[in-house]
Coordinates of all heavy atoms in Angstrom, one line a residue:
S27 N -7.6 1.2 -3.4 CA -6.2 0.9 -3.9 C -5.7 1.9 -4.9 O -6.5 2.7 -5.5 CB -6.2 -0.5 -4.6 OG -7.1 -0.5 -5.7
I28 N -4.4 2.0 -5.0 CA -3.8 3.0 -5.9 C -3.1 2.2 -7.0 O -2.3 1.3 -6.8 CB -2.8 3.8 -5.1 CG1 -3.4 4.5 -3.9 CG2 -2.1 4.8 -6.0 CD1 -2.5 5.0 -2.9
S29 N -3.4 2.5 -8.3 CA -2.8 1.9 -9.4 C -1.4 2.4 -9.6 O -1.3 3.6 -9.9 CB -3.7 2.0 -10.6 OG -3.1 1.3 -11.7
T30 N -0.4 1.6 -9.6 CA 0.9 2.1 -9.8 C 1.5 1.4 -11.0 O 1.5 0.1 -11.1 CB 1.8 1.8 -8.5 OG1 1.8 0.3 -8.3 CG2 1.3 2.5 -7.3
R31 N 2.1 2.2 -11.9 CA 2.6 1.6 -13.1 C 4.0 1.0 -12.9 O 4.9 1.6 -12.4 CB 2.7 2.7 -14.2 CG 1.4 3.4 -14.3 CD 0.7 3.4 -15.6 NE 1.2 3.1 -16.8 CZ 0.5 2.5 -17.8 NH1 -0.7 2.1 -17.5 NH2 1.0 2.3 -18.9
K32 N 4.1 -0.3 -13.2 CA 5.4 -1.0 -13.1 C 5.9 -1.3 -14.5 O 5.1 -1.6 -15.4 CB 5.2 -2.3 -12.3 CG 4.9 -2.1 -10.8 CD 6.1 -1.7 -10.1 CE 5.8 -1.6 -8.6 NZ 6.9 -1.1 -7.9
S33 N 7.2 -1.2 -14.6 CA 7.7 -1.5 -16.0 C 7.7 -3.0 -16.1 O 7.5 -3.8 -15.2 CB 9.0 -0.9 -16.2 OG 9.9 -1.6 -15.5
K34 N 7.9 -3.3 -17.3 CA 7.6 -4.6 -17.8 C 8.7 -5.6 -17.7 O 9.8 -5.3 -18.1 CB 7.2 -4.4 -19.2 CG 8.1 -3.4 -19.7 CD 7.6 -2.7 -20.9 CE 8.7 -1.8 -21.4 NZ 8.8 -1.0 -22.2
S35 N 8.4 -6.8 -17.4 CA 9.3 -7.9 -17.6 C 8.9 -8.5 -19.0 O 9.7 -9.2 -19.6 CB 9.1 -8.9 -16.5 OG 7.8 -9.2 -16.3
T36 N 7.7 -8.2 -19.5 CA 7.4 -8.6 -20.8 C 7.2 -7.2 -21.6 O 7.5 -6.2 -21.1 CB 6.1 -9.4 -20.9 OG1 5.0 -8.5 -20.4 CG2 6.2 -10.6 -19.9
D37 N 6.6 -7.3 -22.8 CA 6.3 -6.0 -23.5 C 5.0 -5.4 -23.1 O 4.5 -4.5 -23.7 CB 6.4 -6.3 -25.0 CG 5.5 -7.4 -25.4 OD1 4.8 -8.0 -24.6 OD2 5.4 -7.6 -26.6
I38 N 4.3 -6.0 -22.0 CA 3.1 -5.4 -21.6 C 3.3 -4.7 -20.3 O 3.9 -5.2 -19.3 CB 2.1 -6.6 -21.3 CG1 1.8 -7.3 -22.6 CG2 0.8 -6.0 -20.8 CD1 1.0 -8.6 -22.5
V39 N 2.8 -3.5 -20.2 CA 2.9 -2.7 -18.9 C 1.8 -3.2 -18.0 O 0.7 -3.2 -18.3 CB 2.8 -1.2 -19.2 CG1 2.8 -0.4 -17.8 CG2 3.9 -0.7 -20.0
I40 N 2.2 -3.6 -16.8 CA 1.3 -4.2 -15.8 C 0.9 -3.2 -14.8 O 1.8 -2.5 -14.2 CB 1.9 -5.4 -15.2 CG1 2.4 -6.4 -16.2 CG2 1.0 -6.0 -14.2 CD1 3.2 -7.5 -15.7
D41 N -0.3 -3.1 -14.5 CA -0.8 -2.2 -13.4 C -0.9 -3.0 -12.1 O -1.6 -4.0 -12.1 CB -2.2 -1.6 -13.7 CG -2.1 -0.4 -14.6 OD1 -1.0 0.3 -14.6 OD2 -3.1 -0.1 -15.3
I42 N -0.2 -2.7 -11.1 CA -0.2 -3.3 -9.8 C -1.0 -2.5 -8.9 O -0.9 -1.3 -8.7 CB 1.2 -3.5 -9.2 CG1 2.2 -4.2 -10.2 CG2 1.2 -4.2 -7.9 CD1 2.0 -5.7 -10.3
K43 N -1.9 -3.2 -8.2 CA -2.8 -2.5 -7.2 C -2.1 -2.5 -5.9 O -1.8 -3.5 -5.3 CB -4.1 -3.2 -7.1 CG -5.0 -3.2 -8.4 CD -5.5 -1.8 -8.6 CE -6.5 -1.8 -9.8 NZ -6.9 -0.5 -10.1
K44 N -1.9 -1.3 -5.4 CA -1.3 -1.1 -4.1 C -2.4 -0.6 -3.1 O -3.1 0.4 -3.4 CB -0.1 -0.1 -4.1 CG 1.1 -0.6 -4.8 CD 2.3 0.3 -4.6 CE 2.8 0.4 -3.2 NZ 4.0 1.2 -3.1
L45 N -2.6 -1.2 -2.0 CA -3.6 -0.8 -1.1 C -3.2 0.5 -0.4 O -2.0 0.7 -0.2 CB -3.8 -1.9 0.0 CG -4.2 -3.3 -0.6 CD1 -4.3 -4.3 0.6 CD2 -5.5 -3.2 -1.3
S46 N -4.2 1.3 -0.1 CA -3.9 2.6 0.5 C -3.5 2.4 2.0 O -4.4 2.0 2.8 CB -5.2 3.5 0.4 OG -5.0 4.6 1.2
I47 N -2.3 2.7 2.3 CA -1.8 2.6 3.7 C -2.6 3.5 4.6 O -2.9 3.1 5.7 CB -0.3 2.8 3.8 CG1 0.5 1.9 2.9 CG2 0.2 2.7 5.2 CD1 0.3 0.4 3.2
D48 N -2.9 4.7 4.2 CA -3.6 5.7 5.0 C -5.0 5.1 5.4 O -5.4 5.2 6.5 CB -3.8 7.0 4.3 CG -2.6 7.9 4.4 OD1 -1.9 7.8 5.4 OD2 -2.3 8.7 3.4
D49 N -5.7 4.5 4.4 CA -7.0 4.0 4.7 C -6.9 2.8 5.6 O -7.8 2.6 6.5 CB -7.6 3.5 3.4 CG -8.1 4.7 2.5 OD1 -8.1 5.8 3.0 OD2 -8.5 4.4 1.3
I50 N -5.9 2.0 5.5 CA -5.7 0.8 6.3 C -5.5 1.3 7.8 O -6.1 0.7 8.7 CB -4.6 -0.1 5.8 CG1 -5.0 -0.8 4.5 CG2 -4.2 -1.1 6.9 CD1 -3.9 -1.4 3.8
L51 N -4.6 2.2 8.0 CA -4.3 2.7 9.3 C -5.5 3.4 10.0 O -5.7 3.3 11.2 CB -3.1 3.6 9.3 CG -1.7 2.9 9.0 CD1 -0.6 4.0 8.9 CD2 -1.4 1.9 10.0
T52 N -6.3 4.1 9.2 CA -7.5 4.7 9.7 C -8.5 3.7 10.1 O -9.0 3.8 11.2 CB -8.1 5.6 8.6 OG1 -7.2 6.7 8.2 CG2 -9.5 6.2 9.1
K53 N -8.6 2.6 9.4 CA -9.5 1.5 9.7 C -9.0 0.8 11.0 O -9.8 0.5 11.9 CB -9.6 0.5 8.6 CG -10.5 -0.7 8.9 CD -12.0 -0.2 9.1 CE -12.9 -1.4 9.3 NZ -14.3 -1.0 9.7
L54 N -7.7 0.6 11.1 CA -7.2 -0.1 12.3 C -7.4 0.8 13.5 O -7.7 0.3 14.6 CB -5.7 -0.4 12.1 CG -5.4 -1.5 11.0 CD1 -3.9 -1.6 10.8 CD2 -6.0 -2.8 11.5
G55 N -7.3 2.1 13.4 CA -7.5 3.0 14.5 C -9.0 2.9 14.9 O -9.3 2.9 16.1
E56 N -9.9 2.9 14.0 CA -11.3 2.8 14.3 C -11.6 1.5 15.0 O -12.5 1.4 15.9 CB -12.1 2.8 13.0 CG -12.1 4.2 12.3 CD -12.7 4.2 11.0 OE1 -13.1 3.1 10.5 OE2 -12.9 5.3 10.4
L57 N -10.8 0.4 14.8 CA -11.0 -0.9 15.4 C -10.3 -0.9 16.8 O -10.4 -1.9 17.5 CB -10.4 -2.0 14.6 CG -11.2 -2.3 13.3 CD1 -10.4 -3.2 12.4 CD2 -12.6 -2.8 13.5
G58 N -9.6 0.2 17.2 CA -9.0 0.3 18.5 C -7.6 -0.2 18.6 O -7.1 -0.4 19.7
Y59 N -6.9 -0.4 17.5 CA -5.5 -0.8 17.5 C -4.7 0.4 17.8 O -4.7 1.4 17.0 CB -5.1 -1.5 16.2 CG -5.7 -2.9 16.0 CD1 -6.8 -3.0 15.2 CD2 -5.1 -4.0 16.6 CE1 -7.4 -4.3 15.1 CE2 -5.6 -5.2 16.5 CZ -6.8 -5.4 15.7 OH -7.3 -6.7 15.6
T60 N -3.9 0.4 18.8 CA -3.0 1.5 19.2 C -1.6 1.3 18.6 O -0.8 2.3 18.5 CB -2.9 1.7 20.7 OG1 -2.2 0.6 21.3 CG2 -4.3 1.8 21.3
S61 N -1.2 0.1 18.2 CA 0.1 -0.1 17.7 C 0.1 -1.2 16.6 O -0.6 -2.2 16.8 CB 1.1 -0.4 18.8 OG 0.7 -1.6 19.5
V62 N 1.0 -1.1 15.6 CA 1.2 -2.1 14.6 C 2.6 -2.3 14.3 O 3.4 -1.3 14.2 CB 0.4 -1.7 13.3 CG1 0.8 -2.7 12.2 CG2 -1.1 -1.7 13.5
L63 N 3.1 -3.5 14.3 CA 4.5 -3.9 14.0 C 4.5 -4.3 12.5 O 3.9 -5.4 12.2 CB 5.0 -5.0 14.9 CG 6.4 -5.5 14.7 CD1 7.4 -4.4 14.9 CD2 6.6 -6.7 15.5
V64 N 5.2 -3.6 11.7 CA 5.3 -4.0 10.3 C 6.5 -4.9 10.1 O 7.6 -4.5 10.3 CB 5.4 -2.7 9.4 CG1 5.6 -3.1 7.9 CG2 4.2 -1.8 9.6
E65 N 6.2 -6.1 9.8 CA 7.3 -7.1 9.6 C 7.4 -7.6 8.1 O 7.9 -8.6 7.8 CB 7.1 -8.3 10.5 CG 7.6 -8.1 11.9 CD 7.8 -9.5 12.6 OE1 7.9 -10.5 11.9 OE2 8.0 -9.4 13.8
G66 N 6.7 -6.9 7.2 CA 6.6 -7.3 5.9 C 8.0 -7.3 5.2 O 9.0 -6.9 5.7
G67 N 8.0 -7.7 3.9 CA 9.2 -7.8 3.1 C 9.5 -6.4 2.6 O 8.9 -5.4 3.0
S68 N 10.3 -6.4 1.6 CA 10.9 -5.1 1.0 C 9.8 -4.2 0.4 O 9.8 -3.0 0.6 CB 11.8 -5.5 -0.1 OG 12.4 -4.4 -0.8

């Protein structure tokens, strides 16, 4: 995961963990997936 600094809704800066898209696609390729439809949100 990649730690991305998000600004605060409180006075504390929160670190949000974003999963590595490259690593995920590499793993899916290793599993034999030839296509992925991304239907996620924003």
Side-chain angles (χ1 to χ4, degrees):
S27 58
I28 304 164
S29 183
T30 57
R31 307 244 337 150
K32 290 284 185 186
S33 75
K34 37 199 186 190
S35 49
T36 65
D37 55 356
I38 301 173
V39 175
I40 303 169
D41 278 337
I42 304 283
K43 293 292 186 182
K44 288 187 72 173
L45 301 177
S46 169
I47 301 301
D48 278 330
D49 287 352
I50 290 168
L51 292 177
T52 297
K53 179 62 177 178
L54 291 173
E56 291 171 354
L57 292 172
Y59 287 98
T60 67
S61 61
V62 172
L63 176 66
V64 177
E65 278 201 15
S68 180

